[in-house]
Amino acid sequence: MTTETLTIARLGSGGDGIAEAPGGPVYVPFTLPGEMVAVARVKNIGTVMSMSVASPERVEPPCVHFGPEGKNGTCGGCTLQHAGDALYHAFKRELVVNALKSKGLTPEVAPLVIARPGERRRVVFTARKTEKAVLLGFNQAGSHHIVSIDHCPISSDGIISRLDAIRRVAGAIATNSEPFRVTVLETLAGLDLAFEGIKKVGDKERRAVTACVLSLPGIARVSSDGEILIEPQRPVIDFSGVRVSPPAGGFTQATKPAEDAMAELVLAALGKAKRVADLFAGSGTFALRIARQAKVHAVEGEEKALKALDQAARNTQGLKPVTVEKRDLFRRPLMTSELKVFDAVVFDPPRAGAEDQCKELARSGVKTIVAVSCNPVSLARDLSILTAAGYRIRLVTPIDQFLWSAHVEAVAVLEK
């Protein structure tokens, strides 16, 4: 380990400050461009020892768990609470701009749709049962150490106000001292707690969870690795007037404002399209909204999510016809011959993107394509496939859903 003084040149894609040193770039967490810091360096990672020049963009972090001096350790949930809004918002937008430029794409990129504190309705905690208590929080960056939290500025009050209840349920279901995860989703019916990674949940734990949940108001469902243990109320979320009960542990957008912003962009782009394919449709985030104005064919590989979508469509009046298809689009994308019946296609894949599906879309005559992505790098690759085949990118809109992190969503609208 060596000690040296460095000047931070820029922010890296992960949110760390980057300084250029003789041996190559050095990554320094919790720093900003223009800052001069003395760091203890191990290989290409620097730890701040002192700061002689601070950036005018530096602000006081709103959370006591953030940063190298965070209470009980550094919470790894956020990386950029120390950055002022102007710098932070520009950084998020540039993640999308730079990814597109790497593929030679220079479309119009709209201003960032910003995120605000207290909007997160879905949070993934790490938990572990000890002899004294249940630790519930987030892993320290680059570590298995759990920073147990008592508040979290990104999360909704409906979740943070129930941390003690979540700990009680976690304590009832835990079978040993090994760490596990719990995804907490705030729904209209109460909290949906989906536990993962707990070995051998037996009758004892099931009885304990049942007794615990029945004594706690506001817990709608508890599941373990997809198996429902107790469901006092069926969890329900609202897709612009269509009520859906998502599967236990199923994917949902992390914040409702971001979901609504993405949906608004999708619907506007579709215009007067009469028949739309929604690929990687999940539980119907877009399909059920699109059905207000067009016929929809929803394709999804996860059977439980597709069932939730189908049930919601059948139980909602005023929708255009919605058909569903269970299909692994990574292994078996919709072929060009199948796509010819659609006026428009929407796709919202996982982080890996939709490379093979885009190759089929590139050969199709679909007039409008809307790409929704949580990964600018895979989005840029997918868009380059489509533009090479004659599609024009009309607009790309970056959307912040994971506040103070280096993750950014984007919606891209293309036309043939």
Side-chain angles (χ1 to χ4, degrees):
M1 181 169 64
T2 61
T3 302
E4 56 193 287
T5 298
L6 301 171
T7 299
I8 305 302
R10 64 189 187 279
L11 290 176
S13 60
D16 292 340
I18 298 179
E20 296 297 341
V26 179
Y27 297 84
V28 188
F30 310 118
T31 59
L32 300 174
E35 294 186 328
M36 186 176 294
V37 291
V39 303
R41 178 178 170 183
V42 178
K43 296 183 178 179
N44 66 338
I45 303 297
T47 300
V48 175
M49 308 301 290
S50 64
M51 182 177 297
S52 54
V53 177
S55 167
E57 298 283 355
R58 178 171 286 274
V59 297
E60 186 68 23
C63 181
V64 297
H65 301 295
F66 176 82
E69 305 302 326
K71 179 182 177 183
N72 299 325
T74 303
C75 169
C78 296
T79 56
L80 286 161
Q81 286 192 16
H82 59 301
D85 285 348
L87 175 62
Y88 169 69
H89 294 157
F91 165 75
K92 277 284 176 88
R93 182 177 178 275
E94 285 299 307
L95 289 174
V96 176
V97 171
N98 292 336
L100 295 172
K101 281 184 178 178
S102 73
K103 292 296 184 179
L105 303 174
T106 56
E108 179 185 353
V109 178
L112 177 75
V113 177
I114 67 172
R116 294 177 173 83
E119 291 183 343
R120 286 284 291 275
R121 67 178 178 186
R122 178 173 61 83
V123 182
V124 182
F125 293 114
T126 301
R128 184 167 69 86
K129 189 176 184 179
T130 69
E131 292 182 0
K132 294 182 178 180
V134 174
L135 301 178
L136 180 76
F138 302 99
N139 284 107
Q140 188 171 3
S143 159
H144 294 295
H145 172 69
I146 299 173
V147 179
S148 192
I149 65 167
D150 49 29
H151 83 290
C152 174
I154 66 169
S155 303
S156 72
D157 182 67
I159 292 176
I160 297 307
S161 65
R162 307 304 310 284
L163 286 176
D164 286 343
I166 298 167
R167 284 191 180 92
R168 285 180 60 184
V169 179
I173 197 174
T175 58
N176 54 37
S177 61
E178 293 296 312
F180 53 91
R181 297 202 313 166
V182 54
T183 299
V184 182
L185 174 65
E186 184 182 14
T187 79
L188 298 175
L191 298 185
D192 184 10
L193 309 184
F195 291 88
E196 295 178 89
I198 300 176
K199 297 178 181 178
K200 299 179 181 178
V201 176
D203 291 340
K204 175 184 175 183
E205 289 77 26
R206 294 168 190 268
R207 287 193 297 269
V209 168
T210 298
C212 183
V213 170
L214 292 178
S215 71
L216 293 170
I219 304 295
R221 178 170 65 189
V222 177
S223 63
S224 178
D225 291 325
E227 179 191 356
I228 297 174
L229 303 183
I230 183 171
E231 188 180 74
Q233 300 285 334
R234 176 169 290 187
V236 173
I237 53 179
D238 182 272
F239 293 155
S240 297
V242 182
R243 295 203 165 194
V244 181
S245 180
F251 174 80
T252 56
Q253 298 292 344
T255 80
K256 192 173 188 307
E259 177 182 277
D260 289 344
M262 287 186 277
E264 184 178 336
L265 289 164
V266 169
L267 293 174
L270 295 178
K272 296 182 179 180
K274 294 182 178 179
R275 185 163 173 80
V276 179
D278 182 17
L279 310 183
F280 307 94
S283 296
T285 303
F286 302 119
L288 293 170
R289 289 174 164 97
I290 295 167
R292 296 283 190 193
Q293 63 189 49
K295 296 179 181 179
V296 185
H297 184 58
V299 185
E300 167 60 43
E302 172 55 49
E303 185 173 5
K304 291 181 179 179
L306 198 65
K307 184 178 179 181
L309 188 164
D310 189 41
Q311 286 182 339
R314 293 174 183 274
N315 293 328
T316 305
Q317 293 184 342
L319 300 184
K320 304 284 188 182
V322 177
T323 55
V324 298
E325 179 183 357
K326 182 181 181 297
R327 183 162 174 168
D328 184 343
L329 290 166
F330 291 110
R331 295 176 178 270
R332 198 162 62 91
L334 256 66
M335 306 302 287
T336 305
S337 58
E338 298 174 277
L339 291 165
K340 64 184 180 181
V341 299
F342 300 108
D343 304 315
V345 170
V346 178
F347 66 87
D348 181 15
R351 290 189 63 80
E355 183 174 10
D356 290 340
Q357 184 60 74
C358 283
K359 290 177 181 177
E360 294 299 324
L361 282 165
R363 291 190 285 267
S364 78
V366 175
K367 181 180 178 181
T368 301
I369 297 175
V370 186
V372 183
S373 173
C374 61
N375 182 357
V377 174
S378 61
L379 174 65
R381 179 204 62 209
D382 292 347
L383 296 188
S384 69
I385 294 170
L386 295 170
T387 55
Y391 279 93
R392 180 179 72 88
I393 304 173
R394 195 192 313 164
L395 180 67
V396 179
T397 304
I399 298 170
D400 194 4
Q401 180 164 214
F402 296 92
L403 185 61
W404 295 316
S405 78
H407 297 292
V408 63
E409 314 276 327
V411 176
V413 180
L414 301 95
E415 55 189 15
K416 192 80 168 182

